[in-house]
Amino acid sequence: MGKKIGFKKRLQLELFRRYQDTKIVEHQLSTLFWECTLRCNAACLHCGSDCKASPEMKDMPVRDFLTVVDSIAPHVDSHKTFIIFTGGECLVRKDLEQAGMELHKREFPWGIVTNGIGLDKRRFESLLSSGMHTATVSLDGFKDEHNWLRGNPICFDKAVNAIELMAAEKDFIFDVVTCVNQKNFSRLEEFKEFLISIGVKDWRIFTIFPVGRAANVPELQLSNEQFTDVLRFIKRTREEGRIKLNFACEGFLGGYEMEVRDTLFQCSAGISIASVLSDGAISACPSIRANYHQGNIYKDDFWKVWNEGFGEYRDRSWAKQGICADCKVFKYCRGNGMHLHDDNGRLLVCHYNRITE
């Protein structure tokens, strides 16, 4: 179980644990997600939000989100507090530029997470003119694999077009995220070369956790051996230095820490990351689908909730149960990512236990 943690790495982990303790006490907000819509033009097999083309939930008005932004503005350094539009698919909204321009006026940097379907040259230039700093584009393998996962036959071509637009824009910062699964696992080396060929410099790899629709699609889950092979692939790619590749902040990886991503594992949800969900719920990372909401902007003051709430996020001693109860690395892992716990606190996936070396 797990790759052995050497003395030097254990010392790094111990120092980082103390650093995290300080971060928890300070809980400086650095990233705010806005789930600006639940509408989506794809039908992803792994969607945790169960988004639809026309859900009953209406989009949150821009002015309501800006009220939150204005409430935090006196308490943060706007230049160091990043705002990210997500969904659903944020580009189905026609007023993102309005929202982005208002954030730009307030000197908050902002970016988007997108599947690329709604991004052509004209829309890209419009978003840039509204102050967009960064973007993340989902691309989950070649055409057949990507379109299968995304549930839309135009997804691959649109995503590649969006990536090429971004790559051609000098100094624009973007990355590509890939959800590895049974369909694309065997072609990672080939896909890496493709990404390099279209100008991608930053790449992140995720695995898919069994929540939402993904719980009912066995092809989305990797075996433990495949999971370990993905970590080996990331390590090799990082050593090559031709594209910057990181494993996502999913979970603690034992001896692979600092070998497959730039930092040691930390789940910053509720510590430096918050979100405003489409119904006004105040949460942390929008990947969290269990009921760890801390309030709602329509009845609670966001900044007060940020300072006085988020107890489950900042003290994770409650997670020392089940397979975590007697774990010797719990003090470094703290129960893995918050998005991997269900409503009862049960851990759905332990990445450390999945490593087969």
Side-chain angles (χ1 to χ4, degrees):
M1 178 190 71
K3 185 181 178 185
K4 184 177 179 181
I5 304 173
F7 174 78
K8 183 178 179 181
K9 192 161 293 182
R10 197 171 289 274
L11 179 60
Q12 290 177 314
L13 288 166
E14 185 60 32
L15 292 172
F16 192 69
R17 181 180 69 84
R18 298 177 187 180
Y19 166 72
Q20 283 182 292
D21 289 341
T22 300
K23 281 188 65 178
I24 290 169
V25 172
E26 295 174 347
H27 53 268
Q28 294 181 356
L29 182 64
S30 63
T31 305
L32 178 62
F33 284 91
W34 180 29
E35 188 183 58
C36 64
T37 184
L38 283 182
R39 291 184 292 141
C40 191
N41 43 22
C44 302
L45 292 175
H46 62 311
C47 181
S49 307
D50 196 27
C51 299
K52 301 177 177 66
S54 299
E56 295 179 3
M57 179 67 67
K58 300 298 182 182
D59 294 347
M60 179 184 291
V62 170
R63 64 179 179 275
D64 294 358
F65 179 67
L66 290 176
T67 298
V68 175
V69 174
D70 289 337
S71 76
I72 71 173
H75 309 287
V76 301
D77 182 344
S78 62
H79 302 107
K80 297 179 180 179
T81 308
F82 204 84
I83 295 176
I84 302 174
F85 300 159
T86 184
E89 169 51 45
C90 64
L91 291 182
V92 302
R93 289 191 66 141
K94 303 304 181 185
D95 57 357
L96 279 196
E97 287 86 347
Q98 175 195 344
M101 185 60 72
E102 290 297 327
L103 293 176
H104 182 66
K105 290 176 183 176
R106 292 162 171 79
E107 300 185 351
F108 282 90
W110 64 276
I112 63 173
V113 178
T114 180
N115 60 29
I117 292 177
L119 195 71
D120 56 17
K121 184 174 178 59
R122 182 176 180 180
R123 187 79 197 269
F124 183 50
E125 291 176 348
S126 176
L127 291 164
L128 289 175
S129 297
S130 303
M132 181 174 70
H133 284 67
T134 68
T136 291
V137 183
S138 297
L139 190 62
D140 303 299
F142 293 103
K143 180 173 287 190
D144 288 347
E145 295 89 357
H146 181 73
N147 290 346
W148 167 79
L149 185 62
R150 298 288 164 175
N152 188 322
I154 67 171
C155 269
F156 177 81
D157 291 338
K158 292 292 187 178
V160 171
N161 179 68
I163 290 166
E164 290 176 337
L165 284 172
M166 294 174 188
E169 181 66 25
K170 186 179 179 181
D171 300 326
F172 184 71
I173 300 170
F174 74 97
D175 68 349
V176 168
V177 296
T178 299
C179 294
V180 181
N181 56 76
Q182 292 288 344
K183 295 282 189 178
N184 60 18
F185 166 77
S186 64
R187 302 186 72 184
L188 286 176
E189 287 282 357
E190 184 183 357
F191 187 58
K192 174 189 70 179
E193 297 299 329
F194 172 72
L195 291 179
I196 293 171
S197 74
I198 60 174
V200 176
K201 294 182 171 61
D202 290 274
W203 185 22
R204 277 183 294 153
I205 279 180
F206 287 75
T207 56
I208 299 173
F209 48 99
V211 172
R213 298 176 192 169
N216 302 313
V217 186
E219 295 94 334
L220 297 179
Q221 309 302 319
L222 299 176
S223 70
N224 290 347
E225 290 76 14
Q226 289 172 324
F227 175 75
T228 306
D229 282 345
V230 169
L231 297 181
R232 293 182 183 128
F233 165 76
I234 296 172
K235 182 181 177 182
R236 289 196 307 271
T237 299
R238 288 171 62 85
E239 290 170 349
E240 289 173 359
R242 297 170 59 225
I243 185 172
K244 184 179 179 181
L245 175 57
N246 278 281
F247 186 66
C249 54
E250 288 186 36
F252 180 72
L253 301 172
Y256 278 104
E257 290 295 324
M258 291 299 291
E259 295 182 0
V260 295
R261 55 187 164 217
D262 293 343
T263 64
L264 292 165
F265 170 69
Q266 56 181 323
C267 177
S268 297
I271 298 170
S272 59
I273 296 174
S275 65
V276 175
L277 302 184
S278 59
D279 62 354
I282 299 170
S283 187
C285 172
S287 294
I288 298 168
R289 288 299 156 184
N291 187 18
Y292 293 101
H293 299 166
Q294 301 296 301
N296 193 290
I297 65 167
Y298 292 113
K299 63 182 183 66
D300 301 303
D301 178 78
F302 178 91
W303 191 249
K304 184 178 181 180
V305 171
W306 176 251
N307 279 315
E308 299 178 6
F310 290 91
E312 302 99 320
Y313 294 88
R314 296 168 188 169
D315 178 2
R316 300 190 186 176
S317 57
W318 57 267
K320 198 170 176 60
Q321 58 177 295
I323 62 174
C324 297
D326 300 314
C327 182
K328 295 180 180 179
V329 297
F330 181 84
K331 63 181 179 179
Y332 307 131
C333 176
R334 306 186 193 221
N336 236 11
M338 283 289 291
H339 67 291
L340 296 172
H341 290 268
D342 65 15
D343 287 339
N344 299 315
R346 181 175 63 95
L347 181 63
L348 301 174
V349 177
C350 174
H351 291 69
Y352 181 65
N353 282 350
R354 297 192 69 191
I355 298 171
T356 56
E357 326 189 350

